[in-house]
Amino acid sequence: MKIQKTKPLSKAYSREEQFSADLANHIEHLNVGSFEDAEIESTVGTRRADIVATGNDGVLVIENQFGKADWDHWGRLEAYARLKEASVAALVAESFEELMIVTCSLRNEDSKIDWYLIKVELSGHDELSFHHVSRPAIDIQAQRNKIEFSEFWAPIRVSGLFAGKPVP
């Protein structure tokens, strides 16, 4: 069995803008929600986000980069996502450093925006594949709001015999 070889994105695309255009046409392959109407080089203040899309899941902002993701692109993504009031933000690159992966995970814990780091690979046959390196966990806040309490404990809580927090 032969292991599939990958090659740099720069072998198939001469500029990141070309990759953005291709990615915008196949945004569903990122698997980050239901988005359409992707705009390339979307104006955000005096700068331009690589891709901004809208859809059933709100607003998606994407920054992409050839090679290893850098903190400059991460910072731009954060600014664009907040200014566009995005529900999902994704940084697409060929690799990520460990500190960026940890930072993305922490950002998912304290933000209403779903943050993704997505690794893109280009096969020897010029086929793209996408892999989530960091993504939001199950929405803990939503899960907490749906907790129901057993009827068994209701009389005890109401009568004051239970002197603690309600336990699900």
Side-chain angles (χ1 to χ4, degrees):
M1 180 170 108
K2 273 186 156 177
I3 295 177
Q4 177 76 316
K5 299 246 183 209
T6 60
K7 58 185 180 181
L9 287 175
S10 59
K11 295 289 184 185
Y13 303 98
S14 60
R15 298 179 37 195
E16 286 182 9
E17 291 82 10
Q18 291 174 327
F19 175 60
S20 293
D22 201 15
L23 183 57
N25 290 331
H26 303 286
I27 208 159
E28 68 278 358
H29 294 291
L30 294 179
N31 199 23
V32 296
S34 177
F35 298 97
E36 44 207 48
D37 301 326
E39 180 184 350
I40 303 162
E41 296 298 318
S42 177
T43 302
V44 183
T46 60
R47 306 291 305 259
R48 294 186 181 274
D50 289 337
I51 301 171
V52 175
T54 57
N56 295 337
D57 292 323
V59 176
L60 166 66
V61 176
I62 300 171
E63 265 299 296
N64 59 60
Q65 179 176 11
F66 288 174
K68 188 174 188 177
D70 62 35
W71 290 98
D72 181 52
H73 280 75
W74 173 264
R76 282 190 245 163
L77 177 64
E78 281 203 84
Y80 299 157
R82 293 176 196 283
L83 290 170
K84 287 287 191 177
E85 297 180 359
S87 51
V88 180
L91 180 56
V92 179
E94 294 175 75
S95 65
F96 301 91
E97 68 175 81
E98 188 174 339
L99 182 59
M100 191 174 285
I101 296 168
V102 171
T103 301
C104 185
S105 296
L106 292 172
R107 184 66 75 236
N108 274 316
E109 291 178 12
D110 66 6
S111 175
K112 292 180 181 179
I113 300 170
D114 289 342
W115 297 92
Y116 289 84
L117 297 180
I118 302 173
K119 180 179 180 177
V120 59
E121 291 182 326
L122 180 66
S123 76
H125 303 291
D126 290 342
E127 296 170 337
L128 294 172
S129 60
F130 300 95
H131 312 279
H132 292 181
V133 174
S134 182
R135 65 181 180 198
I138 298 170
D139 188 355
I140 296 170
Q141 300 294 337
Q143 294 297 325
R144 285 187 186 144
N145 293 339
K146 294 179 183 176
I147 292 175
E148 295 181 15
F149 298 99
S150 166
E151 292 178 21
F152 173 81
W153 296 106
I156 297 171
R157 277 200 313 274
V158 172
S159 67
L161 294 175
F162 184 71
K165 290 182 181 179
V167 177

